[in-house]
Amino acid sequence: MEIKSVRGMNDLFGVELEHWHYVESKIKKVFHSFGYSEIRTPALEKIEVFSGTVGDETDIVEKQMYQIITDSETYVLRPEGTASFMRAVLEHNLHGTGQPGRYFYYLPMFRHERPQKGRLRQFHQFGAELINDASPEADAELITVLDQIYKSFEVTEYRVRINSVGCIECRPPYKDKLKDFFQPKLNELCEQCQKRFERSPMRILDCKRESCRAIAKTAPLILSCICSSCKTHHERVKTCLTMAQVKFEEDPYIVRGLDYYTRTAFEFTSELLGAQDALGGGGRYDGLSSRFGKAPFPAVGFGLGMERLMIALQETKRLPQTIQTPSFFFSPLGDKAFELLFPLSLKLKRQGVWCEISYEKTKGLKWLLKQANRLNADFSLMIGDEELKNGSALLKNMKSGTQETLSITSLESELLRRATHAP
Ligand code: AMP
């Protein structure tokens, strides 16, 4: 029987993983320069971290969580980052100082969804969270960080959509207004939206079905219903984004899937992605801690899907063509040559130079050169009986094909001089 990986959960290796490393390190640099420090939380959490906090009618909580049930507890594999982050903040009192705190995470998420292009069951998210700052400037900062991440790869094919979903004061009357609007049209909505109607009518605005969209087009929009302080907040976010030179558009249909958002909600979308067009998104979630039974404090954050970013970078050919390859491939022909080259190869490796050596005892030069070629080494170094007699080594530049003879006595320094990734 052939055992394969779980559907929607991928293995990563080779050039693809090299590309991931390249992208990950660039994103971490952006976080670093904006002052965000990393936080890692466990993959497994108690179910209470998500149920009752993220919103019980959300797809994530209702049907997408992988559960592990033991005698006394139900655990889930983390489906999203913010609720886990909030659990950790509260557990370690990270918000206790009252000072703004900036965090980022890079973690796998697990959702039991129907896999398709850009939609996996194990996917990876970079996320950022800024706590203890209620200002609209903080919201604009988060949007700017996400924008900067895409800019750092020179990606331009995306749109920044922002909205305000109001607060606990102005959202309930807006929800009532929406319900009044949808009530007579309930039968025309999809089954999912009919379920959403009672408790999450705003999510009907987010439905991707054409028939629901057509109805939602004439629905009352939140921006005309939010209270004056939400309005002032929203206007200031827009002003700051303009100052930050982030191109954005207002989209009153952005409501985000999760229940915990207040005021600013945003989404980055790209046509490069096809049907699953969300590159990343987030918003303000000042009320989330109270869903954990604790005093509220302000927070704003976003999540960015790595797999979707990788699709965008692949489609636009913005991934590096060359990956790191060995500087040297050593071919010792015989035991004596091996005694000389083995310690030298370790010396170079210990100085950070990628140097391969063949452990083959029986193969000839032709085979060894093939290996150097296969590995894409910059140089191949050969020592046989003849060279040992002369105290020399033969160095072949694998790209140009030129050869030169080096003296064994100065081999280390000569090689270091030629190494691409010299220490
Ligand atoms: P969400 O937590 O649903 O707002 O997702 C944040 C980001 O994660 C999205 O904008 C996507 O880029 C990415 N994402 C969400 N769900 C998936 C999935 N099932 N597979 C791959 N990426 C996803």
Side-chain angles (χ1 to χ4, degrees), residues 111 113 118-120 123 125 256 278-281 303-305 308:
R111 292 184 195 171
E113 300 196 76
R119 188 160 76 190
L120 292 147
F123 62 99
Q125 266 187 11
R256 306 285 298 145
L279 267 176
L304 164 176
R308 304 232 179 128

Side-chain angles (χ1 to χ4, degrees), residues 60 64 79-81 105 109 111 113-114 116 118-126 150 256-258 260-261 267-268 273 276-282 302-309:
I60 289 183
Q64 294 174 350
E80 64 106 43
Y105 59 80
M109 305 292 159
R111 292 184 195 171
E113 300 196 76
R114 198 169 44 77
Q116 63 179 87
R119 188 160 76 190
L120 292 147
R121 290 179 168 175
Q122 175 177 322
F123 62 99
H124 299 76
Q125 266 187 11
F126 268 101
Y150 300 121
R256 306 285 298 145
L258 313 180
Y260 51 60
Y261 289 106
E267 236 163 60
F268 285 50
L273 299 177
Q276 298 300 317
D277 68 348
L279 267 176
F302 69 72
L304 164 176
M306 251 309 261
E307 283 79 359
R308 304 232 179 128
L309 173 59

Side-chain angles (χ1 to χ4, degrees), residues 133-167:
D133 194 331
S135 71
E137 285 79 3
D139 302 12
E141 175 181 312
L142 262 291
I143 297 170
T144 307
V145 173
L146 188 51
D147 183 69
Q148 185 55 37
I149 289 175
Y150 300 121
K151 277 192 177 137
S152 72
F153 294 100
E154 282 152 33
V155 175
T156 50
E157 302 86 348
Y158 64 93
R159 291 157 80 176
V160 181
R161 300 159 190 269
I162 68 160
N163 191 20
S164 171
V165 292
C167 63

